[in-house]
Amino acid sequence: KRLDLESALGNTLISAGQVDKGIATFQDLLTKISDARQQSDLWTRVGEAYLRKGDRQQAINAIEKARQGQPSNANLTVDLAMLYETQNKPDVAREYYEEAVKSDPNNALALNNLAYLISQSNGDLDLALTYATRAKQRLPGHPEINDTLGWISLKKNLTDNAIDTFKGLVIQSPRNPTYHYHYAMALMQKGDRESAKKECQVALSDSPRKEEEQDIRTLMNKLGA
């Protein structure tokens, strides 16, 4: 009858690698708890457990249920949006990022990711810039936010601004393939094809994600590499 101990047992099982038993423990707890916020917390832990298993769809299902108990929780909404991004559903992710920003206008992660999605989909670049600038005000030194600002500059044909931003990022994070790829894009837009090729080669050497690797190779083909 000690629900706190049962909850602790679920956490311990998952930490010990017995993820299925941990999930079953939390699901049993859910039948004994009626408080919406407590249920939401348990569903969140179930979602995290499914992520450990690599089952993103079940993680999405669990976080969706967690959010029912706390619909205005911006962090939960952002988690859900990021999961949908991993499922290649940017339109759904964008809707959740927009909801997160409504709930918490100062949520830097939601602002940044929303800005990046808008810029990636050829949306309103001025709106994207507004969101990214607000994110930077909250987290001024965050590299991903600077990357978003650089990407927006590139899309707005502010090539020199983009080059300066991405150059700083590859110095700050020399093993990040995304930053090297974006730097290569900016250099190509500037007309510096040789430097762009070199940045593509560095990006490929740093184990990019499969989808990103395809984009880098496509850019290299355009450069004649």
Side-chain angles (χ1 to χ4, degrees):
K1 296 180 181 180
R2 287 285 302 276
L3 302 185
D4 57 334
L5 291 180
E6 190 170 354
S7 177
L9 175 61
N11 290 332
T12 304
L13 286 166
I14 291 170
S15 296
Q18 299 182 48
V19 180
D20 288 332
K21 288 184 178 180
I23 291 171
T25 300
F26 289 140
Q27 289 175 331
D28 177 66
L29 260 175
L30 282 162
T31 66
K32 304 172 183 177
I33 292 174
S34 58
D35 180 78
R37 184 172 288 273
Q38 288 181 316
Q39 285 188 337
S40 176
D41 178 63
L42 285 171
W43 277 119
T44 300
R45 285 190 255 175
V46 170
E48 291 168 351
Y50 275 119
L51 274 180
R52 282 195 177 217
K53 292 184 64 177
D55 191 336
R56 289 176 178 160
Q57 186 54 56
Q58 287 288 6
I60 286 173
N61 295 342
I63 301 299
E64 288 274 18
K65 290 176 181 175
R67 192 169 170 273
Q68 291 174 10
Q70 299 186 71
S72 60
N73 185 314
N75 291 329
L76 272 180
T77 308
V78 169
D79 288 345
L80 197 50
M82 293 174 68
L83 283 169
Y84 276 114
E85 279 198 85
T86 66
Q87 297 291 81
N88 197 28
K89 295 181 178 178
D91 292 340
V92 180
R94 177 172 173 173
E95 290 177 8
Y96 279 112
Y97 284 132
E98 287 171 344
E99 287 190 33
V101 170
K102 287 179 184 176
S103 298
D104 180 4
N106 293 317
N107 189 300
L109 185 56
L111 288 164
N112 177 68
N113 292 5
L114 178 56
Y116 192 74
L117 278 183
I118 291 171
S119 64
Q120 281 285 71
S121 62
N122 296 316
D124 185 340
L125 292 176
D126 289 331
L127 178 61
L129 181 59
T130 297
Y131 286 141
T133 301
R134 281 166 53 189
K136 187 175 177 64
Q137 289 169 351
R138 303 298 298 176
L139 295 173
H142 201 288
E144 288 187 14
I145 296 173
N146 287 331
D147 179 56
T148 298
L149 286 164
W151 189 250
I152 293 169
S153 293
L154 188 67
K155 292 280 189 173
K156 289 171 73 72
N157 291 316
L158 301 172
T159 311
D160 290 337
N161 288 350
I163 286 175
D164 288 344
T165 299
F166 294 135
K167 184 177 181 180
L169 283 170
V170 298
I171 293 171
Q172 180 182 356
S173 304
R175 299 303 304 274
N176 187 307
T178 300
Y179 301 157
H180 285 285
Y181 166 55
H182 288 173
Y183 190 24
M185 291 282 288
L187 289 166
M188 183 187 73
Q189 188 164 290
K190 183 71 173 177
D192 188 348
R193 301 173 71 86
E194 288 305 313
S195 295
K197 288 178 187 178
K198 291 177 183 178
E199 289 302 319
C200 284
Q201 290 164 353
V202 173
L204 288 173
S205 71
D206 286 329
S207 304
R209 291 174 292 104
K210 185 176 180 180
E211 299 83 358
E212 190 170 60
E213 180 181 349
Q214 293 174 348
D215 292 337
I216 296 166
R217 293 193 184 280
T218 298
L219 177 59
M220 290 189 74
N221 288 335
K222 290 179 182 177
L223 292 166

